[in-house]
Amino acid sequence: PFESIAPYPASLIKLMVAVGVGLLVDQGQADWNETWAWSGTTRPVVEWADRMITESRNDDTSALVALLHARGLIERNAAGQEVRNGLHEAFTAAGLSTLRLANTRADGGWLNRDGAGVGHLQMTAWDTVRLLWLMLPAVMPDVLPPPWLPASHRPLMRPAAAAPIWRLLDEQALHEALSTSIAVGMPGWRAGIPAEVPERWIQGDGRVKAADRTWPGDVRSVQRQATVRFAHKTGTTENYLSDAGLVRGRAPGGRRYLVALLSTLGSRHAPHPNLATDWCIADLGARIDRWLADRLG
């Protein structure tokens, strides 16, 4: 009976872009390992996606948005109006009506200045969790079928198309929201979901270097105490903070759960200029994980 404005998902929208690439791969219109040229740079599609997901790079996102247009998943007419959006068709068929990647441009534009951005890029936590659920067969063959869809529903995409997306989410560098491993050593640090940081980002002195930044703390002690892996995507602006993904216990038979958060607690609420958000987000992540650890192991 209540209505509220869904917070802008910020860079969490890059999950939808990755899903769009997965749909193209599933349809035989693209390949994760093919090369794709954009703005004078040529890389394999999976490398563009790696930089988009693990370090949240905007240029790499633009390259893949351009791919979605070039391969026909999104179509605009001569007047520049969007006339077809295959992502929206797939989301609607899966019952995910609040997921929208609208008004992007054929040259890769997806930001406010391009006519997209706030108001056109939309997600809610519940539909984000359900989107991840539909992709789970690629990493959890024993996952229960989605209870909100009929048994005869068509899968969102085959596991082979979705598996690279999960590998990239698993390599996430920016553990600075629900999990806060890379922010260790920052003033007032609070532990969130006790997730390990992928080794590729950790330098010899224990500091994390990613996304053209080096975090000041030594994460090696946090690594030793980590009890889970968190395959996820974060999103941060001055006004918004989001985080969503799959938590899996490192011990055999440990907890497995999906979690998603979208909020208006962006970096302007952070107690330090180099932090993504207020420490209450880490506290929430830790409380969620402890509650589920008590019940799932």
Side-chain angles (χ1 to χ4, degrees):
F2 303 106
E3 292 185 355
S4 64
I5 296 173
Y8 178 60
S11 285
L12 186 58
I13 72 103
K14 294 165 185 176
L15 173 62
M16 293 195 292
V17 175
V19 168
V21 176
L23 291 175
L24 287 175
V25 171
D26 196 52
Q27 297 163 9
Q29 302 301 312
D31 189 282
W32 285 110
N33 295 312
E34 71 170 289
T35 57
W36 173 245
W38 180 83
S39 191
T41 300
T42 301
R43 294 191 183 102
V45 168
V46 72
E47 282 191 24
W48 290 111
D50 185 316
R51 292 161 58 90
M52 175 182 73
I53 294 294
T54 64
E55 299 181 275
S56 205
R57 293 183 181 271
N58 289 345
D59 283 351
D60 296 81
T61 307
S62 296
L64 294 181
V65 169
L67 177 69
L68 301 187
H69 283 265
R71 301 298 169 84
L73 192 70
I74 302 173
E75 300 176 11
R76 302 185 79 160
N77 61 21
Q81 299 168 317
E82 190 170 285
V83 294
R84 177 179 177 268
N85 193 312
L87 259 178
H88 294 179
E89 293 169 1
F91 292 153
T92 299
L96 311 178
S97 61
T98 70
L99 303 184
R100 289 294 180 265
L101 187 84
N103 216 38
T104 57
R105 296 188 347 189
D107 65 0
W110 58 278
L111 298 167
N112 287 329
R113 64 173 180 262
D114 303 311
V118 177
H120 299 279
L121 310 180
Q122 303 167 356
M123 304 176 79
T124 60
W126 180 231
D127 276 0
T128 300
V129 160
R130 296 197 296 170
L131 173 64
L132 292 168
W133 187 330
L134 293 174
M135 297 164 59
L136 279 178
V139 290
M140 287 171 47
D142 61 339
V143 65
L144 295 172
W148 69 94
L149 292 174
S152 59
H153 81 96
R154 182 179 178 180
L156 181 68
M157 68 181 78
R158 287 171 291 185
I165 301 175
W166 282 114
R167 285 197 294 271
L168 300 179
L169 294 170
D170 217 29
E171 290 289 303
Q172 178 61 242
L174 305 179
H175 287 264
E176 54 180 355
L178 288 172
S179 59
T180 54
S181 308
I182 65 172
V184 65
M186 298 291 285
W189 180 74
R190 310 254 266 278
I193 294 173
E196 64 180 359
V197 178
E199 292 292 332
R200 66 185 272 194
W201 308 114
I202 303 174
Q203 302 180 97
D205 60 2
R207 294 185 300 163
V208 168
K209 183 177 182 180
D212 302 321
R213 288 180 59 189
T214 301
W215 279 262
D218 185 340
V219 303
R220 288 173 292 188
S221 62
V222 177
Q223 289 289 88
R224 290 191 291 269
Q225 298 172 34
T227 58
V228 301
R229 292 188 64 88
F230 188 15
H232 63 127
K233 181 72 191 80
T234 60
T236 308
T237 70
E238 186 178 2
N239 296 311
Y240 300 99
L241 184 284
S242 57
D243 198 355
L246 169 65
V247 176
R248 286 173 287 182
R250 295 176 68 181
R255 57 196 178 280
R256 302 182 299 180
Y257 64 88
L258 295 169
V259 60
L261 165 79
L262 285 91
S263 80
T264 55
L265 292 176
S267 60
R268 68 190 179 97
H269 296 281
H272 187 279
N274 291 328
L275 292 173
T277 186
D278 187 85
W279 290 120
C280 69
I281 298 296
D283 291 341
L284 177 62
R287 290 173 63 188
I288 290 169
D289 189 73
R290 282 196 301 269
W291 191 88
L292 286 164
D294 288 345
R295 289 155 177 79
L296 302 177

